[in-house]
Amino acid sequence: MLHKGIGLVAHDQKKLELVEWIKQYEPFFRQFPLYATGTTGKVILDAYPDLNLTRLKSGPLGGDQQLGSLICTGELSLLIFFTDPLTPMPHDVDVKALIRLSTLYNIPLACNQGTADLLMTALIHKQAQEG
């Protein structure tokens, strides 16, 4: 089961999709510290102002690296990163580094809603079994 924080990130064209997706899992997310890059965090907190969410810097201004640091120091257990594969990102190298760190440190990573749903279903099921 998760015992650490959850990272939440979405590219510009995916931010509202992430906010809508969070709604169905909101009780689960309330159990953990959340970390989001700056703009994503603002959009999430606008929708859910009382979530335990720490806003980091905007992705291009170092927020992706801050999330990477949280992975390296063992403070994140899960990363939800709704990526937009059709829009070029000027900080693409930072995004790739974050995905690489998730892989290196064996952090579950969802880059789309389908994978995020599967992860959440598994985590909620495991939590129910653990009682």
Side-chain angles (χ1 to χ4, degrees):
M1 191 58 229
L2 293 174
H3 300 290
K4 301 172 188 169
I6 299 172
L8 299 167
V9 189
H11 285 144
D12 288 345
Q13 302 302 318
K14 299 290 185 171
K15 289 185 190 324
L16 293 180
E17 180 182 330
L18 178 62
V19 166
E20 282 300 309
W21 177 81
I22 288 170
K23 185 185 304 181
Q24 61 190 319
Y25 302 108
E26 185 180 348
F28 182 84
F29 285 120
R30 291 192 176 283
Q31 302 172 59
F32 303 96
L34 306 175
Y35 300 89
T37 52
T39 310
T40 301
K42 180 185 181 327
V43 173
I44 293 169
L45 286 173
D46 285 347
Y48 311 100
D50 56 342
L51 280 180
N52 178 17
L53 186 140
T54 300
R55 282 181 64 199
L56 307 171
K57 294 197 178 287
S58 176
L61 299 178
D64 295 328
Q65 285 89 350
Q66 287 179 294
L67 279 172
S69 176
L70 291 169
I71 290 170
C72 293
T73 57
E75 296 174 61
L76 284 188
S77 293
L78 174 68
L79 180 61
I80 306 295
F81 191 165
F82 283 12
T83 60
D84 181 0
L86 300 178
T87 303
M89 299 292 149
H91 64 294
D92 191 51
V93 69
D94 301 327
V95 172
K96 288 178 181 172
L98 187 54
I99 291 170
R100 184 180 65 78
L101 286 172
S102 296
T103 303
L104 180 66
Y105 285 90
N106 202 29
I107 301 297
L109 166 67
C111 291
N112 60 53
Q113 188 171 340
T115 306
D117 284 337
L118 287 172
L119 279 175
M120 295 305 293
T121 299
L123 290 169
I124 290 167
H125 179 73
K126 185 174 181 178
Q127 187 179 52
Q129 286 183 326
E130 291 175 353

